[in-house]
Short mmCIF file of all heavy atoms in Angstrom, two decimals:
data_model
loop_
_atom_site.label_atom_id
_atom_site.label_comp_id
_atom_site.label_asym_id
_atom_site.label_seq_id
_atom_site.Cartn_x
_atom_site.Cartn_y
_atom_site.Cartn_z
N LEU A 174 -12.77 14.42 13.20
CA LEU A 174 -12.58 12.98 13.26
C LEU A 174 -13.74 12.25 12.57
O LEU A 174 -13.53 11.29 11.82
CB LEU A 174 -12.48 12.53 14.72
CG LEU A 174 -12.28 11.03 14.99
CD1 LEU A 174 -11.05 10.50 14.26
CD2 LEU A 174 -12.17 10.76 16.48
N ALA A 175 -14.97 12.74 12.78
CA ALA A 175 -16.15 12.15 12.12
C ALA A 175 -16.00 12.21 10.60
O ALA A 175 -16.29 11.23 9.90
CB ALA A 175 -17.42 12.88 12.56
N LYS A 176 -15.52 13.35 10.09
CA LYS A 176 -15.34 13.50 8.64
C LYS A 176 -14.36 12.46 8.09
O LYS A 176 -14.58 11.87 7.03
CB LYS A 176 -14.85 14.92 8.32
CG LYS A 176 -15.94 15.98 8.46
CD LYS A 176 -15.38 17.37 8.60
CE LYS A 176 -14.59 17.83 7.40
NZ LYS A 176 -14.10 19.23 7.59
N LEU A 177 -13.27 12.24 8.83
CA LEU A 177 -12.27 11.27 8.38
C LEU A 177 -12.84 9.86 8.37
O LEU A 177 -12.58 9.08 7.46
CB LEU A 177 -11.05 11.31 9.30
CG LEU A 177 -10.11 12.50 9.17
CD1 LEU A 177 -8.89 12.31 10.06
CD2 LEU A 177 -9.65 12.70 7.74
N LEU A 178 -13.62 9.54 9.41
CA LEU A 178 -14.16 8.19 9.51
C LEU A 178 -15.23 7.95 8.45
O LEU A 178 -15.49 6.81 8.07
CB LEU A 178 -14.74 7.96 10.92
CG LEU A 178 -13.74 8.09 12.08
CD1 LEU A 178 -14.41 7.74 13.40
CD2 LEU A 178 -12.51 7.22 11.87
N LEU A 179 -15.88 9.02 7.99
CA LEU A 179 -16.92 8.89 6.97
C LEU A 179 -16.35 8.74 5.56
O LEU A 179 -17.01 8.20 4.68
CB LEU A 179 -17.85 10.11 7.03
CG LEU A 179 -18.83 10.15 8.21
CD1 LEU A 179 -19.38 11.55 8.41
CD2 LEU A 179 -19.96 9.16 8.01
N GLN A 180 -15.15 9.24 5.37
CA GLN A 180 -14.53 9.14 4.05
C GLN A 180 -14.02 7.72 3.83
O GLN A 180 -13.64 7.03 4.76
CB GLN A 180 -13.36 10.12 3.93
CG GLN A 180 -13.80 11.58 3.93
CD GLN A 180 -12.62 12.51 4.15
OE1 GLN A 180 -11.54 12.08 4.55
NE2 GLN A 180 -12.83 13.79 3.92
N ASN A 181 -13.98 7.31 2.60
CA ASN A 181 -13.51 5.97 2.27
C ASN A 181 -11.99 6.01 2.07
O ASN A 181 -11.48 5.77 0.98
CB ASN A 181 -14.22 5.47 1.01
CG ASN A 181 -13.95 4.00 0.76
OD1 ASN A 181 -13.63 3.26 1.68
ND2 ASN A 181 -14.06 3.59 -0.48
N ASN A 182 -11.26 6.32 3.16
CA ASN A 182 -9.80 6.43 3.07
C ASN A 182 -9.13 5.06 3.14
O ASN A 182 -9.62 4.15 3.82
CB ASN A 182 -9.27 7.31 4.21
CG ASN A 182 -9.66 8.77 4.04
OD1 ASN A 182 -9.37 9.38 3.00
ND2 ASN A 182 -10.31 9.34 5.03
N ASP A 183 -7.99 4.95 2.47
CA ASP A 183 -7.21 3.72 2.54
C ASP A 183 -6.29 3.73 3.76
O ASP A 183 -5.97 2.69 4.32
CB ASP A 183 -6.35 3.56 1.27
CG ASP A 183 -7.22 3.53 0.02
OD1 ASP A 183 -8.04 2.60 -0.09
OD2 ASP A 183 -7.09 4.43 -0.82
N ILE A 184 -5.84 4.94 4.14
CA ILE A 184 -4.96 5.09 5.29
C ILE A 184 -5.50 6.20 6.19
O ILE A 184 -5.87 7.27 5.71
CB ILE A 184 -3.51 5.43 4.86
CG1 ILE A 184 -2.90 4.29 4.05
CG2 ILE A 184 -2.64 5.75 6.06
CD1 ILE A 184 -1.51 4.59 3.52
N LEU A 185 -5.54 5.94 7.49
CA LEU A 185 -5.92 6.95 8.47
C LEU A 185 -4.69 7.31 9.30
O LEU A 185 -4.02 6.42 9.85
CB LEU A 185 -7.01 6.42 9.41
CG LEU A 185 -8.45 6.41 8.90
CD1 LEU A 185 -9.37 5.85 9.98
CD2 LEU A 185 -8.91 7.80 8.51
N LEU A 186 -4.38 8.59 9.38
CA LEU A 186 -3.29 9.09 10.21
C LEU A 186 -3.91 9.93 11.33
O LEU A 186 -4.52 10.96 11.07
CB LEU A 186 -2.33 9.95 9.37
CG LEU A 186 -1.79 9.31 8.08
CD1 LEU A 186 -0.98 10.32 7.29
CD2 LEU A 186 -0.94 8.07 8.40
N LEU A 187 -3.78 9.46 12.56
CA LEU A 187 -4.47 10.08 13.69
C LEU A 187 -3.46 10.57 14.72
O LEU A 187 -2.72 9.78 15.30
CB LEU A 187 -5.43 9.09 14.34
CG LEU A 187 -6.44 8.40 13.41
CD1 LEU A 187 -7.28 7.39 14.20
CD2 LEU A 187 -7.35 9.42 12.73
N ASP A 188 -3.43 11.89 14.94
CA ASP A 188 -2.50 12.50 15.89
C ASP A 188 -3.24 12.80 17.19
O ASP A 188 -4.03 13.75 17.26
CB ASP A 188 -1.91 13.78 15.27
CG ASP A 188 -0.64 14.22 15.98
OD1 ASP A 188 -0.31 13.62 17.03
OD2 ASP A 188 0.02 15.16 15.51
#
Side-chain angles (χ1 to χ4, degrees):
L174 180 56
K176 286 161 63 178
L177 286 185
L178 300 184
L179 286 163
Q180 292 166 346
N181 190 24
N182 290 304
D183 301 298
I184 296 176
L185 281 180
L186 308 174
L187 307 177
D188 198 352

